[in-house]
Structures are given as C-alpha cells and as structure tokens.
Amino acid sequence: MISLVKKHNRPRGSISPRFNPASSPDETPSLRSRGGFTTSSPSATTAVAAPLAIPGVRSNEAGDAAPIEAPVDREVAPSAIEMATNGLGLKRNLQLSIGDGSSYGVMVGIGETYLQAFVLAIGMGEVFAALIATVPQLVGSLLQLVSPAAIRLIRSHKWWVAACAGIQALCFLPLIIAASTGTISHSAILAVTSLYWATSLGAGPAWNTWQGTIIPRDIRAKFFARRARLCQATTLAGFLGGGFALQWARAHGVDVPVFAILFGIALVCRLVSTLCLMCQSEPAPIPAEMRFLSLGEQWERFSRGSSGRLLVFAVGMQVGVFVAGPFFVPYMLKELNFQYHHYAILIGASYVAKFLTLRLWGRIAHRTGAHRLLWIGSLGLIPLAGGWCLSSNYVWLFVLQLIAGTAWGAYELALVLLFFETIHESERTSLLTLYNVANSVALVVGSLIGAVILNGLGICAASYLWVFVASTAFRALALVLLKRVPVPHVEVERAAAVVTPRPVNS
C-alpha cells in the first residue's frame, strides 16, 4: 500500500477523468470518458474515463477534463499526515476508492459492455445497435448540465456523486425486466440508456473535483495507475464471465433471458460502488475558491489556453475513434459470425494488454512526462481501425487487440495526468460539465459519419472496412490538434529534474 509517512509539500490540484471502457474492440475502458464499451471512462475510466470517463474512462470510472493556463494549484487537499489524523485517513480513502473502481469495473464488464449485444439479441438491427452506444451519451450529456446547480443546492460533491451512482444502478432494473420478457421498445431503451449516461456523466466532473481534495499529488500518478490496473482486471473478469455465460445460454437457446442475470450482477456491483463512495471522506464539500461559470465563461476557458487545446484535441480524437467504434460489435457478431466466447476473448485481449502495460506507462510518464506519453498513445491509436481491413483471421485480430490495449493504456493514462496538471481547481466542475457535452457530441458525430458510410454502401462486410479506413484517416487528422497542445509548466520542471546528471550508484 502507499506509505502515509511521507509529508507532501508540493501543491496539489486534481482531476481524474474516468474514461469509459471502449465501445469498440480497439478501445478499452477507460478509467470511464466512463461508460460505453470503450473510452472515457468514471468508472470512470473515465475515464475514464474516460473515463478514465472517460470515458471513462470509467473509467473507472467517470469524468473528463480542463482549462486556464497551467495554473499553480492552491493547497486544497490536506497532507497525508493530516488526513491520517483527521477523519477516515488517507489510507482508508484510497482503499475505498479502489473498492469503488473495482466494483464499477465489474458493472462495466458484465453489464454496460453487453448493451449492444443485448440490442442485437432482441432483433433491433445493426445500425440501431451502433447508435445505442452514442446517441444516449449525447442526450445524457445534455441532462447532466444540471450538475453544477444540483451541487450548489445540496452543498456537496460527494453526495451528488453518490446519488448519481445509485440512480445509475437502478437503470439496470428495466433492462432486467426487458431481458426477462424478451422485448422492449426502441424509445424505452433509449430513455433508460440516456438516464444511465446522464448519471454517469453527471457524476464525473464532481468526482474529479472531490477526489482532488483527497489524493495528494505526490502519490497520484502511481495510485491512479494501480487503480486503473485493478479496474481493467475486474472489467475483464466481468466481460469474460458474461461472454462465456452467453455462449452457454445460446447453446441452450436461452441467451436473451441470461442477459437478465448479467444486468442483475451489474446492478449489485454498482450498489457496492455507491456504498464505497458514500464511505469516503469529503474534507472540502465546496472548495473555498470554487466558481460556477456561466456558459460563456465555460466556452472561453474551453476554447483558449493550454488546457482548452488539450480538450479540443481529445474531442477531435473521439470523433475519429467513434467513426468506427460503435460498429465493431455488429461487425464481429453479424458479419464475421463470431460466437460469444470468441468475441469475449478477442475484446478481453485488449483489457489484458492494458493491464499488463499500465505500470510501464506509469513509469514512462513519471520519467519523461505525460505530454510525451500522449504522443506515444495517439500515434498508436491511428492504425488500429485500419488494421481490421488487413485480415479477418482470428489470430491476427487477437494480436491487433493486444496492440490496441497497449496503445489505449498509454493514451488514457496520459490524458488523466494532463487533466490533473492543466485543470484549475476552482473551475473544474463547470468546465468538465461542458467537456462532457462536447465529448458526447463528438461521439455522435463520429458514429453518424460511420452510419452514413455504412448505409450509403449497403450493410455488408466490405462496407464496414471502409468505415474502419475512414476512422483511421480522422484519427490521423487529430494529430494537427495535438501539435497545438503545449507541455504543462509543472511537467517541464519534472522533466528537468529527471534529466539532471546523478552518480551511477545513487
């Protein structure tokens, strides 16, 4: 565990988008842009994110990022010693955060990632299955605009996050009923998934602000890398368990009813996550310098400055990713006719790769900076969708998924760390709320581009390949936006310290 003896004197500020787990095979969760079958997540990751969130990342779990010129954060979070002697203590908060992220990961793996498969199983069509991964996120992002006002009303970030998590858990109830009866209307499933995403995205910005008052900067990179690995592991466990359960169910002709069991497990796991959130401390319910910005002020921050450039790049990359992202699942299950267990293993490969490489990426980020890591991850993402055009051989796709998980691990961790450095503490909640909207618009724009190509060429395997080519092209174009993102001031200082000559034996 992390030592509590060290005193943390450096300034701390914070945000940690939870990227959403990938909605596509070549995307994986996120600390939850949170949600989706990609990033992201909050559970969040991500972001998330994505997550993480973000995302998630979920990504874990939920959340996302940004603004103002690399500010020097004020000392908002108590030191580790102060936290240990006042309230729950840093160690317990970290353990509860791990519990939250781990249970959230199971929910994403066994529930959220199978929403598209469920839509296909009850016969709603391939295009609708693709759009169910993006359109509800846009609706949800608009609904979550009430978050800043709600936080002002209840005077707490923690309890708003806990309320959103609890409501998100309850969203699985109508899905359980639908799976038990074998039917649900298009409008009903859109409404349920929109509320699901509204609560996920609504929790993200508040979670980022709240966690910034708990997690000291000195341990942040290592802690979130470790937390992300555990989230990936539990997401993978949930995903593989769900895949093999569905394969058994299909062999016995009861695949639709088994979705009810999967959604039931997801509901329970999210309730456990909610309990972990409720048990964490909240040293500053409303940080002293926190400001709730007007829409005009939010847009000004979003469109200018180093943090704004970072967010614009992230949104641009999401457009490229989601040109293809929502279409991988119908391509595998309908065009390649993969069995559920083949599909689960293939997607699971990216989770394993991300899990195994996150520690390496964490070390690279610590030594060379998150900005360089973002370039590594971004360059790795570009050819992934196009790789599906080279062959449909299962072994090749498995290797491609290992590469995808590695690249997404670097990309999502870099975004999380850069969001930490460039977001201003006092304006975080307002700006991340706007970012959620922009991010969701990007998802829908990307998926609509893919849908237009697919419908225009006719739904067949060859048409899907053109969608993947278009996704690669849009991802490459996003590098133009990445070139405009400056290296954060705090990262320049850290890099200078890393390259300082030292004795060989030190």
Side-chain angles (χ1 to χ4, degrees), residues 2 94 97-98 215 219-228:
I2 301 165
L94 296 180
S97 181
I98 292 292
I215 312 298
I219 64 173
R220 193 174 295 149
K222 290 184 178 179
F223 171 72
F224 279 110
R226 177 172 179 258
R227 185 179 188 273

Side-chain angles (χ1 to χ4, degrees), residues 61 92-106 223 226-227 230-231 234 269-270 272-277 280:
E61 274 186 78
R92 187 180 179 197
N93 279 326
L94 296 180
Q95 291 172 337
L96 288 168
S97 181
I98 292 292
D100 162 42
S102 299
S103 53
Y104 178 88
V106 177
F223 171 72
R226 177 172 179 258
R227 185 179 188 273
L230 290 174
C231 289
T234 56
C269 289
R270 190 49 168 154
V272 172
S273 167
T274 303
L275 183 61
C276 289
L277 292 168
Q280 293 180 57

Side-chain angles (χ1 to χ4, degrees), residues 69-407:
E69 299 278 357
V72 178
D73 291 340
R74 305 283 281 268
E75 190 83 28
V76 174
S79 69
I81 299 296
E82 291 167 339
M83 287 293 291
T85 56
N86 294 288
L88 293 172
L90 176 62
K91 183 175 182 179
R92 187 180 179 197
N93 279 326
L94 296 180
Q95 291 172 337
L96 288 168
S97 181
I98 292 292
D100 162 42
S102 299
S103 53
Y104 178 88
V106 177
M107 180 204 75
V108 170
I110 205 167
E112 184 180 298
T113 55
Y114 282 105
L115 283 173
Q116 284 183 287
F118 174 63
V119 167
L120 289 170
I122 58 178
M124 288 188 164
E126 296 175 44
V127 173
F128 185 79
L131 295 180
I132 201 69
T134 56
V135 173
Q137 290 195 51
L138 176 59
V139 177
S141 71
L142 296 175
L143 294 176
Q144 58 92 44
L145 290 174
V146 305
S147 294
I151 292 167
R152 282 199 302 268
L153 179 64
I154 65 176
R155 305 288 305 168
S156 171
H157 286 79
K158 167 185 170 178
W159 291 109
W160 172 250
V161 172
C164 287
I167 295 172
Q168 186 180 34
L170 296 179
C171 287
F172 283 103
L173 282 177
L175 295 177
I176 294 171
I177 296 172
S180 300
T181 60
T183 181
I184 187 173
S185 68
H186 289 72
S187 58
I189 198 167
L190 280 173
V192 170
T193 51
S194 295
L195 180 60
Y196 176 94
W197 281 105
T199 52
S200 178
L201 296 173
W207 185 87
N208 289 322
T209 300
W210 170 32
Q211 294 296 298
T213 66
I214 296 176
I215 312 298
R217 173 188 234 161
D218 299 43
I219 64 173
R220 193 174 295 149
K222 290 184 178 179
F223 171 72
F224 279 110
R226 177 172 179 258
R227 185 179 188 273
R229 290 196 302 272
L230 290 174
C231 289
Q232 296 300 322
T234 56
T235 301
L236 175 62
F239 185 76
L240 291 178
F244 282 100
L246 287 172
Q247 182 60 35
W248 175 88
R250 172 176 283 183
H252 292 78
V254 291
D255 49 331
V256 174
V258 167
F259 277 104
I261 298 175
L262 303 188
F263 293 149
I265 296 173
L267 185 155
V268 172
C269 289
R270 190 49 168 154
L271 289 178
V272 172
S273 167
T274 303
L275 183 61
C276 289
L277 292 168
M278 293 171 65
C279 291
Q280 293 180 57
S281 64
E282 187 178 26
I286 301 290
E289 294 186 347
M290 183 171 177
R291 297 179 58 213
F292 291 95
L293 304 179
S294 66
L295 188 59
E297 289 176 311
Q298 292 178 47
W299 178 253
E300 182 181 3
R301 301 287 195 280
F302 185 81
S303 58
R304 299 166 67 179
S306 59
S307 55
R309 292 176 182 179
L310 176 64
L311 291 178
V312 169
F313 159 70
V315 170
M317 181 60 82
Q318 282 290 69
V319 172
V321 166
F322 272 79
V323 168
F327 297 94
F328 285 110
V329 174
Y331 176 66
M332 286 187 286
L333 295 181
K334 291 296 184 180
E335 300 301 328
L336 300 183
N337 294 313
F338 283 173
Q339 298 297 311
Y340 280 123
H341 67 288
H342 292 142
Y343 160 68
I345 291 173
L346 194 61
I347 300 302
S350 60
Y351 287 95
V352 171
K354 183 186 288 189
F355 176 82
L356 295 177
T357 57
L358 269 174
R359 178 171 296 181
L360 170 64
W361 294 135
R363 290 173 180 167
I364 291 176
H366 181 73
R367 294 188 58 82
T368 66
H371 188 271
R372 181 172 296 180
L373 184 62
L374 183 62
W375 270 99
I376 294 173
S378 300
L379 290 172
L381 295 186
I382 291 173
L384 295 179
W388 285 70
C389 302
L390 300 181
S391 173
S392 60
N393 178 271
Y394 192 82
V395 175
W396 162 248
L397 295 181
F398 184 85
V399 172
L400 189 62
Q401 285 303 96
L402 294 177
I403 299 172
T406 302

Side-chain angles (χ1 to χ4, degrees), residues 410-431:
Y411 178 82
E412 292 176 349
L413 180 60
L415 276 184
V416 169
L417 296 175
L418 286 173
F419 286 156
F420 267 115
E421 303 297 353
T422 59
I423 189 74
H424 193 281
E425 177 82 26
S426 64
E427 301 175 346
R428 183 169 305 139
T429 300
S430 295
L431 288 165

